Amino acid sequence: MKKVTISLVLAVLTLTANAKKEKADTLTIGQVAYRITYKTKSVNDTTKIPYRYRDDDMRLDIGQNGVSRFYSQSMVIRQEMLKNMYKSGGGFDLTKVPKGGSIGWELYKNYPAEGKTLQLDKVGSDKYQTEEPMEVPEWEMVPDSTQEILGYQCQMAKTRFKGRQWNAWFTEDIPLDEGPWKLRGLPGLVLKAYDAKLQYIFEGAGLEQLHGEEAVTLVNEKREKISQKDLRKLRDRYDPSAALAASGVKVISVKNADGSEGKLLNKMISNSIELE
């Protein structure tokens, strides 16, 4: 519960600090052909055993033009609720904000150009973007492996990619070269994937064919271009209390159990999905 509270308080303070900034435009960059929902579990603090998982509903929107967007629908819902609370002027009732929404980054494939990826992320209130060539993991098929997911027969493949060992279940019955995050390059849609340490788990929970009824969107706002390596460094050394104090937001002090002075917001602990 403490982790959830700290996360929500940080979101509220960041929202308040940026409330007077100009509203960003939302671009339509494609029309959704398929939407896959993945029940997602991730681990932030890898030093605590057993792991304390954080939950998300991640969505993969695949556009008719080949562009795709992978994002946390849980985060979208939480941010919209916080914005509405702020606009109402009635204060923030954090007990009404649902859990989830721990993954704040978004990933676009085949954007801003074919064969490119664009990751949008932020550290505190600072927004960043990383543009890279789209890579294909080197997969090894696991023989005699079968599992039924969402009514589809799936086969397992494994790969070493971006610093983690990944296992993925894909189905050739849906011949889409797509999957959660950057996991692609198999002869069918990836419906389940997890790393060997079970720190990131994506499991298909829903599949819709939308026939272009909804848009693949991108929030058009100013972001600093940065490499994945430098982004990880920023996140590892980020101190939310110091950052908010520097921006003029008053950070409330609290007392520890022993009576000593504490901080409402401690240094962030992160476990990036991409390690190298």
Side-chain angles (χ1 to χ4, degrees), residues 89-259:
F92 294 96
D93 184 354
L94 302 185
T95 63
K96 294 183 179 180
V97 180
K99 295 181 180 180
S102 57
I103 295 179
W105 48 262
E106 301 181 34
L107 181 73
Y108 292 80
K109 299 190 192 85
N110 286 318
Y111 191 86
E114 186 176 355
K116 298 283 188 180
T117 64
L118 173 68
Q119 181 174 321
L120 309 182
D121 208 340
K122 64 180 181 178
V123 179
S125 60
D126 296 325
K127 297 177 175 64
Y128 301 93
Q129 67 181 54
T130 300
E131 297 180 24
E132 297 175 316
M134 192 160 58
E135 299 180 57
V136 180
E138 295 183 4
W139 295 100
E140 177 186 347
M141 300 297 176
V142 178
D144 301 322
S145 59
T146 59
Q147 184 176 150
E148 185 175 301
I149 304 172
L150 295 178
Y152 295 93
Q153 287 299 314
C154 298
Q155 180 182 350
M156 179 186 276
K158 60 183 180 179
T159 186
R160 175 78 181 177
F161 185 62
K162 301 293 185 181
R164 295 182 186 272
Q165 179 69 42
W166 285 95
N167 299 315
W169 291 91
F170 69 95
T171 177
E172 294 188 55
D173 293 336
I174 308 176
L176 297 174
D177 179 14
E178 268 288 6
W181 181 52
K182 297 181 177 180
L183 301 177
R184 55 181 294 269
L186 288 163
L189 179 66
V190 176
L191 290 178
K192 183 178 180 179
Y194 51 91
D195 71 301
K197 294 183 179 180
L198 297 179
Q199 293 176 359
Y200 281 87
I201 304 169
F202 305 103
E203 185 157 6
L207 173 62
E208 302 173 79
Q209 193 168 357
L210 297 184
H211 304 287
E213 296 168 2
E214 294 189 30
V216 182
T217 59
L218 170 71
V219 176
N220 184 29
E221 56 188 347
K222 186 176 181 180
R223 302 181 182 89
E224 180 181 342
K225 291 186 178 181
I226 194 172
S227 68
Q228 283 285 348
K229 183 178 180 180
D230 288 341
L231 183 60
R232 289 194 297 271
K233 289 180 180 178
L234 281 177
R235 187 177 287 108
D236 288 342
R237 64 172 181 253
Y238 177 66
D239 184 333
S241 293
L244 289 170
S247 66
V249 177
K250 183 178 180 181
V251 180
I252 303 170
S253 296
V254 295
K255 294 291 184 180
N256 295 321
D258 59 3

Side-chain angles (χ1 to χ4, degrees), residues 9-130:
V9 170
L10 180 57
V12 170
L13 291 175
T14 303
L15 175 65
T16 304
N18 292 309
K20 295 182 180 180
K21 291 186 177 180
E22 184 179 351
K23 185 178 179 180
D25 296 326
T26 298
L27 302 179
T28 294
I29 59 175
Q31 300 301 130
V32 181
Y34 297 93
R35 170 172 288 164
I36 302 92
T37 300
Y38 297 90
K39 290 293 182 184
T40 302
K41 292 185 176 295
S42 61
V43 175
N44 196 36
D45 189 347
T46 60
T47 65
K48 293 184 177 179
I49 306 295
Y51 291 148
R52 298 179 182 179
Y53 284 105
R54 306 178 300 170
D55 297 317
D56 275 272
D57 283 340
M58 301 295 294
R59 274 185 177 176
L60 175 61
D61 285 351
I62 304 174
Q64 295 172 329
N65 57 351
V67 171
S68 70
R69 177 191 179 202
F70 187 62
Y71 62 101
S72 170
Q73 176 63 10
S74 304
M75 177 67 76
V76 170
I77 292 171
R78 281 161 57 99
Q79 289 179 334
E80 190 62 29
M81 289 186 68
L82 290 172
K83 286 179 183 178
N84 290 336
M85 288 179 186
Y86 180 83
K87 290 177 181 178
S88 70
F92 294 96
D93 184 354
L94 302 185
T95 63
K96 294 183 179 180
V97 180
K99 295 181 180 180
S102 57
I103 295 179
W105 48 262
E106 301 181 34
L107 181 73
Y108 292 80
K109 299 190 192 85
N110 286 318
Y111 191 86
E114 186 176 355
K116 298 283 188 180
T117 64
L118 173 68
Q119 181 174 321
L120 309 182
D121 208 340
K122 64 180 181 178
V123 179
S125 60
D126 296 325
K127 297 177 175 64
Y128 301 93
Q129 67 181 54
T130 300

